[in-house]
Amino acid sequence: MLMVFVAPATAACGETIDLREQEATTVPVEEATSVETPVPSDGTLDELLPILVESWRGLDQRVIDEEAAGPMARIEQIWSLAEPQLRAEHPATLFGYQQAVDLARSAVDRRRPADASKGYRLVIELTDDLLTR
């Protein structure tokens, strides 16, 4: 004998919430600092890498807001100073940093904020490891 149980059609339905009626909220971009740290033209990795991390902070939101050109230019400036030092002093970390910078470029060029977030997490991890040696 085959038994079929049919539940009322409304049993699985929940309350419908119209988000258009709710007040819009915005989440502010976490500012790195109120005044940007100057980039030393002959800085050491101990000086440059924390500035790189600081400059990267909030890049994902800036990509969304289409305000990433300035921070990306700063990241490129710092990278141009740090890359030769990493190549000479810490070649094992060079690939990871290059990967992080490529993710930042991809984020800005292709409007991919997730790439900025991935690169930021990677650069934080690499910098913490390198500066605590």
Side-chain angles (χ1 to χ4, degrees):
M1 178 170 172
L2 179 63
M3 295 184 74
V4 178
F5 177 74
V6 178
T10 60
C13 295
E15 178 184 358
T16 301
I17 300 172
D18 188 353
L19 296 176
R20 293 174 294 182
E21 295 174 2
Q22 293 183 354
E23 189 175 317
T25 59
T26 58
V27 178
V29 174
E30 180 183 342
E31 294 297 326
T33 58
S34 57
V35 177
E36 288 186 345
T37 305
V39 179
S41 60
D42 59 350
T44 65
L45 288 176
D46 289 342
E47 296 168 325
L48 293 171
L49 295 179
I51 298 170
L52 180 66
V53 170
E54 171 190 304
S55 300
W56 212 302
R57 188 177 296 124
L59 183 63
D60 51 355
Q61 184 61 45
R62 288 182 179 95
V63 167
I64 293 169
D65 296 340
E66 297 183 15
E67 298 173 352
M72 189 64 221
R74 187 169 163 87
I75 290 168
E76 293 284 5
Q77 176 192 14
I78 298 164
W79 177 241
S80 70
L81 298 169
E83 188 268 338
Q85 293 181 52
L86 285 168
R87 184 176 301 280
E89 299 169 24
H90 304 282
T93 64
L94 183 63
F95 176 75
Y97 275 101
Q98 184 63 58
Q99 203 173 24
V101 172
D102 287 344
L103 283 166
R105 290 174 181 148
S106 170
V108 174
D109 294 344
R110 297 181 181 168
R111 293 208 49 197
R112 297 175 53 130
D115 285 354
S117 298
K118 289 178 206 172
Y120 181 58
R121 285 191 305 270
L122 182 57
V123 83
I124 287 173
E125 183 179 315
L126 290 165
T127 300
D128 285 347
D129 287 347
L130 187 72
L131 296 181
T132 57
R133 287 183 186 174

